[in-house]
Amino acid sequence: MADPRGFLKVRQRETQPRRPVPVRIMDWKEVYEAQEKGVLKSQAGRCMDCGVPFCHQGCPLGNLIPEWNDLVWRDKGEEAIERLHATNNFPEFTGRLCPAPCEASCVLGINQPAVTIKQVEVSIIDQAFENGWVNPLPPARLSGKTVAVVGSGPAGLAVAQQLTRVGHTVAVYERDDKIGGLLRYGIPDFKMEKEQVDRRLEQMKAEGTRFRTGVAVGTDVTWEQLRRRYDAVVIATGATVPRDLPIPGRELEGVHFAMDYLVPSNRAVAGESVENQINAAGKHVVILGGGDTGADCIGTAHRHQAASVTTLAIGKQPPLERAGHQPWPTFPTLFEVASAHEEGGERTYLASTVEFVGENGKLTGVKVAETEFVDGKRLPKAGTERIIPADLVFLSLGFTGAEPAGITEQVSAEFDGRGNVARDGYYMTNTEGIFVAGDAGRGQSLIVWAIAEGRACAAAVDKFLMGSTILPAPVAPTDRAMAVL
């Protein structure tokens, strides 16, 4: 294990420092700075190497957390990245974007602040890239089988890398002009600069994965054509249908879905020419929804130098500590201060949006009321209405499922009642040879779940093609275990 008395000697949890707010809102660089090596070692040394490491249970990937904590503490960075890559294809993504359910399951977290698992993880992969320890792993031989992966987010990339490495010829189809999905155009650079995506793609290309950009499957090429051309097809298109708010004034100019704001902004940051980009400069911005996408809108609006930023959430403010109904080692809902929240703006809870108000077809404000609970329903309380000035409103209310894109019409794959592509316990749709992984089949979820499902789906596809597989299958789409793989 790491330092046997580390958790007794170092009781303070120290996370990565963030750049000063006045500095970082003037650019789009990542918010976090690298942690001093001695501090990182002492934080890794707090890991107790528990007899039953519940952090494994908290992580859908089953990351070998105590092992690489120990290796970091011992200055064995090259061995640490080998253990990390054994379960996670893209730790540079999860180390920056995952909310770290592993830390909520840390045994030390019962009576002390949890180990900084996520921070140790990202330090391992960053050091590995800096030292040239991340190399292509091409297959020893080709299987002669072909696979099409539709969608290049974390689930699709994980499927593709796993299947390429066992010898299948894999082509990834992406409708955008660049590979990466929401990693590329949904996540602002201040959370993850796109160099992280590009250097991983270089590894995948060297391994043999092929990428086809600017191809909208369902229109440019049909799902049936892919089915005939390839031995297997994987749907990894994500859950990209946004949840709307059909209230009076929804049609006013200035009311937008969050991704209609974030995607063009990311393109502009990448140096692309963007027509009619939504810019919050000098405007009063209201964001509906308090999740990660809402926080991304907050940080983007600050960098656009908005006049004001207000976030409205219909529910109660989460507690600062675990509630009684969310005991360790479950993942609790807590009040969090993300980097974007540090940068300014107002957060209002128990706020029900009643109406978007405007003049001459343009938004001027948002009518809100206090939320009250009636028979378990959240309703606006009569007599508490007020109007918040607003030039822009961004709807960050989550997503309702995958885009149909001709899936049912062209290959008869069915959708379930939640708007997701239906699948069995082995990631296959009702159409033989067509699989689904990630948010497209599970619904909106965490990046760590997307990668875990991508790895498990790859194992299912490999078994379908070859009769058996050596690929690990960390999770199943249902409660049924995938032991037969």
Side-chain angles (χ1 to χ4, degrees):
M1 62 183 295
D3 186 351
R5 298 181 60 83
F7 68 98
L8 296 174
K9 294 188 296 185
V10 183
R11 290 179 173 269
Q12 183 177 357
R13 172 185 164 98
E14 293 188 45
T15 56
Q16 286 174 283
R18 296 170 178 171
R19 294 192 294 136
V21 169
V23 174
R24 71 191 193 218
I25 63 172
M26 301 303 294
D27 61 41
W28 297 89
K29 300 295 183 181
E30 285 189 16
V31 166
Y32 288 95
E33 298 177 332
Q35 191 166 50
E36 193 273 321
K37 186 175 181 180
V39 175
L40 184 70
K41 282 187 62 176
S42 67
Q43 290 297 305
R46 295 179 70 232
C47 178
M48 299 188 295
D49 194 17
C50 309
V52 180
F54 278 81
C55 54
H56 288 195
Q57 168 268 333
C59 177
L61 283 164
N63 279 337
L64 306 172
I65 295 164
E67 296 186 29
W68 40 258
N69 273 331
D70 173 63
L71 291 167
V72 168
W73 185 74
R74 298 178 187 278
D75 273 334
K76 296 183 177 181
E78 194 164 4
E79 293 181 37
I81 189 57
E82 288 180 3
R83 301 311 293 147
L84 183 50
H85 270 152
T87 57
N88 187 352
N89 296 68
F90 314 121
E92 66 273 27
F93 303 159
T94 53
R96 287 172 168 81
L97 306 175
C98 180
C102 54
E103 293 184 8
S105 299
C106 175
V107 175
L108 185 59
I110 295 175
N111 58 6
Q112 285 190 38
V115 175
T116 56
I117 299 171
K118 177 178 172 180
Q119 173 182 299
V120 175
E121 176 183 17
V122 77
S123 72
I124 293 171
I125 182 60
D126 286 350
Q127 181 188 27
F129 273 118
E130 290 169 6
N131 288 280
W133 298 337
V134 181
N135 298 305
L137 300 175
R141 65 181 68 86
L142 295 178
S143 67
K145 302 292 185 179
T146 58
V147 181
V149 177
V150 183
S152 67
L157 293 180
V159 171
Q161 186 166 63
Q162 292 293 93
L163 291 176
T164 296
R165 287 177 171 178
V166 292
H168 305 308
T169 300
V170 181
V172 177
Y173 287 81
E174 170 56 57
R175 64 184 176 182
D176 284 329
D177 57 334
K178 292 182 180 179
I179 293 295
L182 289 183
L183 294 170
R184 172 78 62 183
Y185 290 128
I187 303 297
D189 280 43
F190 58 80
K191 287 179 68 174
M192 187 182 74
E193 294 180 44
K194 301 309 173 271
E195 174 194 8
Q196 308 298 335
V197 180
D198 292 336
R199 61 187 183 183
R200 185 62 74 171
L201 293 178
E202 289 304 312
Q203 180 201 36
M204 294 182 65
K205 291 175 183 176
E207 291 171 346
T209 302
R210 304 173 182 183
F211 295 101
R212 307 280 187 264
T213 57
V215 180
V217 177
T219 53
D220 296 338
V221 59
T222 68
W223 294 95
E224 178 59 30
Q225 287 174 321
L226 288 187
R227 185 187 179 197
R228 293 198 303 265
R229 188 180 306 172
Y230 294 89
D231 296 307
V233 176
V234 179
I235 302 170
T237 53
T240 55
V241 179
R243 181 173 283 107
D244 206 345
L245 185 63
I247 60 174
R250 173 63 181 87
E251 76 287 349
L252 290 171
E253 181 182 339
V255 182
H256 307 275
F257 290 118
M259 298 312 299
D260 292 338
Y261 176 52
L262 294 176
V263 171
S265 175
N266 283 333
R267 288 185 176 276
V269 171
E272 299 180 27
S273 177
V274 180
E275 296 183 3
N276 302 318
Q277 180 189 353
I278 303 168
N279 196 310
K283 296 182 179 180
H284 297 287
V285 176
V286 173
I287 299 163
L288 304 186
D292 287 342
T293 303
D296 293 345
C297 290
I298 294 173
T300 301
H302 287 319
R303 284 157 180 77
H304 284 166
Q305 300 183 357
S308 68
V309 181
T310 303
T311 302
L312 303 179
I314 193 172
K316 298 178 181 179
Q317 179 176 321
L320 296 175
E321 299 182 354
R322 285 183 182 273
H325 66 282
Q326 294 178 326
W328 177 90
T330 60
F331 187 47
T333 301
L334 299 175
F335 180 76
E336 296 184 4
V337 179
S339 63
H341 299 132
E342 288 182 337
E343 296 164 1
E346 180 181 346
R347 302 168 77 178
T348 302
Y349 291 88
L350 290 176
S352 294
T353 305
V354 177
E355 180 183 357
F356 301 121
V357 297
E359 296 178 0
N360 302 319
K362 292 187 177 181
L363 178 77
T364 59
V366 179
K367 180 183 288 188
V368 300
E370 294 180 14
T371 302
E372 64 177 350
F373 294 82
V374 179
D375 297 328
K377 297 181 180 180
R378 298 178 296 191
L379 300 173
K381 185 177 181 179
T384 64
E385 294 86 358
R386 63 189 177 97
I387 294 178
I388 300 174
D391 303 302
L392 288 171
V393 166
F394 299 126
L395 304 180
S396 177
L397 305 173
F399 300 86
T400 61
E403 295 181 33
I407 293 173
T408 299
E409 295 81 1
Q410 296 172 11
V411 288
S412 302
E414 299 175 352
F415 282 71
D416 63 22
R418 297 185 301 127
N420 306 318
V421 182
R423 56 192 183 176
D424 63 16
Y426 304 97
Y427 294 89
M428 191 184 293
T429 68
N430 58 295
T431 301
E432 185 176 10
I434 297 184
F435 298 78
V436 59
D439 289 3
R442 138 178 224 99
Q444 181 188 3
S445 190
L446 307 179
I447 184 173
V448 68
W449 273 109
I451 298 173
E453 286 214 359
R455 288 171 64 87
C457 180
V461 172
D462 189 37
K463 183 176 185 296
F464 169 77
L465 295 176
M466 307 301 292
S468 62
T469 184
I470 60 171
L471 290 173
V475 295
T478 67
D479 293 335
R480 179 169 42 163
M482 300 184 70
V484 296
L485 292 175

